[in-house]
Amino acid sequence: MALINLKTREVQIKIVYYGPGRGGKTTNLEYINKTYRNQIKTEMVSLKTQDDRTLFFDFLPFDVGQIKGFDVTIQLYTVPGQVKYNATRKLVLRGVDGVTFVADVQKEQRKKNIESLNQLYENLNTHNIDLFKIPLVMQYNKTDLKKSNIPIISSQTMQKDLNSVLRAPAYEASALKGGNVILTLKKIISITLASIQDQLF
């Protein structure tokens, strides 16, 4: 549920980057942070766990402007990828308005991608949020590894594994090189904003 301040006419939207550990969630946020430094209101904050981290910052989207007379701020979060930090993941998902699911195209990560998506479904459920109704974008990350002779999963198989029922917008990406990082971001912002418009007066 977007945070709407009627007095200041501001709306704050929370988008969470979710997915398996080391899949590229943090790299996505780091690339966005670097690319849009001037539009970012706060420093990137990192909550460090022992061997993983959760990142977040406030992002002022440059081309959104006002919606129904409200100024828009986007909060971008990642969750710690490792399974043992599931309690933290649940906490980060509280009040989420949109989700980018960052899957890892390396063949050895196939099972972890599916497990992580199932866990996302369960964790959203604890907040009474339906994965089938929340704005969602799929990102198939690390496609640049094709050139390194590392075995990767085809986009068709990724779609079959993760998106055949959800039918969310999906992008091949390379968070490390910035490929489709901004396209993914713009898509999740636009569908999330569309979904909350009826909450604004």
Side-chain angles (χ1 to χ4, degrees), residues 103-143:
D104 190 329
V105 300
Q106 293 180 88
K107 272 204 170 143
E108 61 183 37
Q109 297 300 315
R110 187 174 181 184
K111 191 177 167 207
K112 283 185 181 168
N113 288 328
I114 295 165
E115 284 170 354
S116 185
L117 187 62
N118 287 333
Q119 192 193 59
L120 171 62
Y121 175 82
E122 288 164 14
N123 286 347
L124 285 171
N125 239 1
T126 64
H127 299 296
N128 297 314
I129 300 168
D130 186 348
L131 179 61
F132 287 85
K133 292 180 180 165
I134 194 169
L136 173 70
V137 172
M138 308 296 282
Q139 185 190 83
Y140 306 143
N141 188 37
K142 302 191 185 177
T143 53

Side-chain angles (χ1 to χ4, degrees), residues 31-49:
Y31 185 85
I32 293 162
N33 189 45
K34 190 176 71 185
T35 306
Y36 293 123
R37 194 55 248 159
N38 296 338
Q39 276 87 18
I40 291 167
K41 294 165 72 178
T42 57
E43 285 303 307
M44 198 151 153
V45 179
S46 175
L47 306 173
K48 290 203 184 287
T49 51

Side-chain angles (χ1 to χ4, degrees), residues 136-153:
L136 173 70
V137 172
M138 308 296 282
Q139 185 190 83
Y140 306 143
N141 188 37
K142 302 191 185 177
T143 53
D144 53 296
L145 294 177
K146 279 179 195 169
K147 294 169 187 164
S148 311
N149 292 326
I150 291 168
I152 69 166
I153 310 164

Side-chain angles (χ1 to χ4, degrees), residues 5-159:
N5 189 323
L6 295 173
K7 201 181 246 181
T8 60
R9 300 206 55 87
E10 290 176 325
V11 58
Q12 194 174 77
I13 289 159
K14 181 177 182 178
I15 292 170
V16 175
Y17 279 63
Y18 198 100
R22 312 284 177 213
K25 302 176 299 296
T26 299
T27 314
N28 264 276
L29 259 64
E30 285 172 343
Y31 185 85
I32 293 162
N33 189 45
K34 190 176 71 185
T35 306
Y36 293 123
R37 194 55 248 159
N38 296 338
Q39 276 87 18
I40 291 167
K41 294 165 72 178
T42 57
E43 285 303 307
M44 198 151 153
V45 179
S46 175
L47 306 173
K48 290 203 184 287
T49 51
Q50 195 176 345
D51 44 11
D52 218 329
R53 55 207 170 141
T54 302
L55 292 163
F56 64 92
F57 55 82
D58 290 334
F59 175 67
L60 195 66
F62 60 97
D63 55 358
V64 170
Q66 289 195 329
I67 292 186
K68 293 189 179 177
F70 285 79
D71 290 316
V72 178
T73 301
I74 311 283
Q75 284 192 320
L76 297 179
Y77 282 77
T78 64
V79 294
Q82 296 200 9
V83 176
K84 63 182 172 181
Y85 297 119
N86 196 39
T88 310
R89 291 193 202 182
K90 278 185 194 168
L91 201 62
V92 173
L93 285 169
R94 185 183 290 161
V96 66
D97 298 297
V99 175
T100 298
F101 186 83
V102 182
D104 190 329
V105 300
Q106 293 180 88
K107 272 204 170 143
E108 61 183 37
Q109 297 300 315
R110 187 174 181 184
K111 191 177 167 207
K112 283 185 181 168
N113 288 328
I114 295 165
E115 284 170 354
S116 185
L117 187 62
N118 287 333
Q119 192 193 59
L120 171 62
Y121 175 82
E122 288 164 14
N123 286 347
L124 285 171
N125 239 1
T126 64
H127 299 296
N128 297 314
I129 300 168
D130 186 348
L131 179 61
F132 287 85
K133 292 180 180 165
I134 194 169
L136 173 70
V137 172
M138 308 296 282
Q139 185 190 83
Y140 306 143
N141 188 37
K142 302 191 185 177
T143 53
D144 53 296
L145 294 177
K146 279 179 195 169
K147 294 169 187 164
S148 311
N149 292 326
I150 291 168
I152 69 166
I153 310 164
S154 71
S155 280
Q156 290 85 350
T157 304
M158 296 293 280
Q159 282 283 89

